[in-house]
Amino acid sequence: MRLRMKQEARPTGHVDGAWWPRSRDLSAELPALLAAVSRQWGVCERFTYNMTMWEKAARNLIVDGVRVRLDAFRVQPADIVTVVSGRNRSRLTLLVVPPESTPAAAHAALTAASQPGNTDSVDVLLGRSELSDTTSSTERWEQEGGRVPTD
């Protein structure tokens, strides 16, 4: 299984773990993912994802005899999926390592995202952080195309 999750009782950071699917086909990828998550977090009732990043999927999926509701959103971060468990309505946020990632890049992202206490952003976990952590938010905004008035 290409899934790693933080083991601590109260996960910290932007994500609770990472998942490296083999494709963008949720119908093919979700049964194994949800079965693995269910073993640790309880029965999965709901799964949310960014609709532009995945092939069109049914609104419901039966996994191990349990109906899981699939909800697609345009505004959900592209590299994140969320699983809601029936046990205390626990919410598990997983980084999605792109299927086309090299094994080395995927292994690095899976390992980092599942480390206890890791608070790296999604961009850092996926190796996309081109700006240093010491860059101020104003500098970062300007470098990404924004401009700060000097008056």
Side-chain angles (χ1 to χ4, degrees):
M1 183 65 181
R2 296 156 44 127
L3 169 70
R4 292 204 185 150
M5 296 185 291
K6 294 178 180 174
Q7 298 300 315
E8 56 218 27
R10 288 195 150 169
T12 59
H14 294 270
V15 296
D16 304 314
W19 172 44
W20 184 26
R22 296 181 193 284
S23 72
R24 296 280 180 184
D25 180 358
L26 286 175
S27 303
E29 300 294 333
L30 279 183
L33 171 69
L34 297 177
V37 169
S38 292
R39 284 191 289 278
Q40 183 173 345
W41 291 85
V43 174
C44 299
E45 294 182 344
R46 184 175 181 214
F47 179 87
T48 67
Y49 62 98
N50 179 294
M51 68 188 330
T52 64
M53 298 302 292
W54 297 91
E55 293 175 16
K56 188 171 179 164
R59 301 267 303 148
N60 295 291
L61 184 66
I62 304 298
V63 178
D64 293 335
V66 176
R67 185 180 70 89
V68 179
R69 189 171 107 200
L70 307 182
D71 290 322
F73 299 100
R74 289 187 200 286
V75 296
Q76 179 155 336
D79 299 305
I80 296 289
V81 294
T82 304
V83 180
V84 178
S85 155
R87 186 187 313 157
N88 299 327
R89 290 278 195 225
S90 300
R91 179 179 301 262
L92 183 67
T93 301
L94 296 173
L95 170 74
V96 177
V97 178
E100 61 277 2
S101 298
T102 65
H107 176 72
L110 288 163
T111 301
S114 63
Q115 291 301 307
N118 181 295
T119 59
D120 290 339
S121 71
V122 168
D123 286 335
V124 169
L125 290 168
L126 291 175
R128 295 190 303 224
S129 180
E130 296 176 12
L131 302 174
S132 74
D133 291 336
T134 59
T135 304
S136 76
S137 60
T138 301
E139 290 172 308
R140 190 175 307 119
W141 185 67
E142 285 184 348
Q143 290 176 9
E144 292 173 350
R147 294 286 178 257
V148 174
T150 55
D151 299 317

